[in-house]
Amino acid sequence: MGKVITLFKLLPKLHQMLLCGLVFVTLIIILIPSDDVQASKQTPSASGEYDVNTRYSVPLAFRTPTAPAASLSETDPELRKRPAQLAPASSKTAEQAQQEIKPEPTVAAQKLNEKRFQVKSGDTLAALFERAGLSAKDVYDVTQLPKAKKNLLKIMPGDNLVIAKSEDGKLVQLRYHLDKITTLIVDNDSSGYTEHIVTKKVEARSKFASATIENNFWNAGVNAGLTPNQIMQLATIFGWDIDFALDLRKGDQFAMIFEEEYADGEFLKNGNILAAEFTNQGDRYTAVRYKDGNYYSEEGRSMRKAFLRSPVDFKYVSSSFNPRRLHPVTGQVRAHRGVDYVAAVGTPIKAAGNGRVIKSSYNQYNGNYVFIKHNDTYTTKYLHLTKRKVKTGQSVKQGQIIGTLGSTGRVTGPHLHYEFIVNGVHRNPRTIKLPKSEPIASKEKAQFAKLSETMMAELEHNKQVQIAAQ
Ligand SMILES: [Zn+2]
């Protein structure tokens, strides 16, 4: 410590002030709790019980997906958290392995003057070359090469070119990253200009993550080291079985194996979720990704079903299915024949399943409303929309945005009133048994069964390892 202070005193005044400022800012950042902490504190968790009829500011649900992104960048390996739960599961090489792997050529024989130039807005290759002290002849020579011509004439602001010159100022090598794994290299030696493309070796490693939900799914995912994108992926995979707006409870658990891609050992991006398990209120759901890109339960039934459990990307939820409820406007007991999803005005509302719009209209009670007939058995209804995005008679696909949440009609506040009708009878969309989904094609059955067994065993093994480590 004494040495540090002595060193500090040796610094010029300006540097001393800058250092003090830096230390001060760092302390502030450490001492001020993040938004996440604040949000968690507001969540009711003392008793652990959630009354589904009460409105919570932050429920067992998503918060705005962008908030934690800063600390969990998909691309920046330095910024990614590496908590203990995130253990490597195994390692294998991705399909996108190298096509043309050559080690970066070393031009080290002669002493080179290498410099990185960033493309500015309005820059041309010629302007950049001029800044680099190169001539119009160099621009001409380089762009005679087909790959260089194709890529270097459309450089974008922010792109980087590395230019190496010999001691006498001659262009020796130029390197330009086409993307994170491929680099265009132009060499110039006694035999003239040559070009080639170097592709880094991409390797996929599988990782394990798991969590128990304490107060909300989003926080549990973030704490398990998942990115916002992965949390959404997980919710999408299980979105046909679980209503992530209303059905999650304290104690629910998930575990998953996912891929991470590395280029020459450097973290590149997250890959797919390979296998996952979600336990919701004691019911266990499983999903395994097959080579067709689809997810199937461990028994080989498609995760995709005729109806989504929830038609809305929500922020918070006010009331649940309840056949006897005081209507908030009239005060009379009125059968509340649907589920109310309270969320921000403008939240997109999705068609729960494929079907035909049998009514897209407005009246003073329903406000803007859309009815969808899925087949002779099922009809769904969506009320109080701000905007309708479909017309009567139109066909819709599952997940298609049919309108946005609002407060039109007889309501006390913005919400989606969602009804699920089976053979003319109102049913609770959250609990009704829906038609079983399609099994995997019979010719794929054996191969899938083998994969499923391996993946679920790996998932189970990782869970055991984690329990043992606690
Ligand atoms: Zn309602």
Side-chain angles (χ1 to χ4, degrees), residues 158 191 295 323 381 453:
S191 59
Y295 289 89
K381 299 183 174 182
E453 197 183 327

Side-chain angles (χ1 to χ4, degrees), residues 291-330:
K291 62 183 179 187
D292 61 6
N294 293 317
Y295 289 89
Y296 300 86
S297 69
E298 62 181 331
E299 301 86 20
R301 285 201 167 270
S302 176
M303 296 304 286
R304 207 171 278 278
K305 294 177 183 67
F307 297 97
L308 291 167
R309 278 291 177 198
S310 166
V312 57
D313 285 328
F314 46 84
K315 290 240 165 52
Y316 49 95
V317 169
S318 76
S319 95
S320 167
F321 189 81
N322 175 4
R324 285 179 62 81
R325 193 182 88 134
L326 275 181
H327 191 269
V329 173
T330 62

Side-chain angles (χ1 to χ4, degrees), residues 155-212:
I155 46 175
M156 299 292 284
D159 286 356
N160 287 300
L161 266 73
V162 175
I163 289 170
K165 295 196 289 186
S166 62
E167 274 181 315
D168 56 356
K170 207 167 70 92
L171 175 64
V172 176
Q173 190 184 68
L174 179 154
R175 296 198 300 276
Y176 175 58
H177 287 290
L178 301 178
D179 56 47
K180 284 190 170 182
I181 57 167
T182 50
T183 305
L184 168 72
I185 298 178
V186 174
D187 285 306
N188 180 25
D189 55 27
S190 51
S191 59
Y193 283 92
T194 52
E195 65 174 356
H196 65 279
I197 284 177
V198 170
T199 306
K200 284 183 178 174
K201 185 182 168 192
V202 175
E203 177 203 13
R205 301 178 191 171
S206 53
K207 289 263 163 143
F208 172 78
S210 71
T212 299

Side-chain angles (χ1 to χ4, degrees), residues 319 325 334 336 338-340 384 415-418:
S319 95
R325 193 182 88 134
R334 188 196 84 142
H336 188 246
V339 177
D340 287 346
H384 313 311
H415 73 281
L416 170 75
H417 175 97
Y418 175 54

Side-chain angles (χ1 to χ4, degrees), residues 74 225-235 256 258 270-271 273:
E74 294 261 286
L226 303 183
T227 64
N229 208 347
Q230 289 178 307
I231 297 171
M232 297 299 280
Q233 263 184 52
L234 192 63
M256 63 192 243
F258 61 98
N270 284 311
I273 294 174

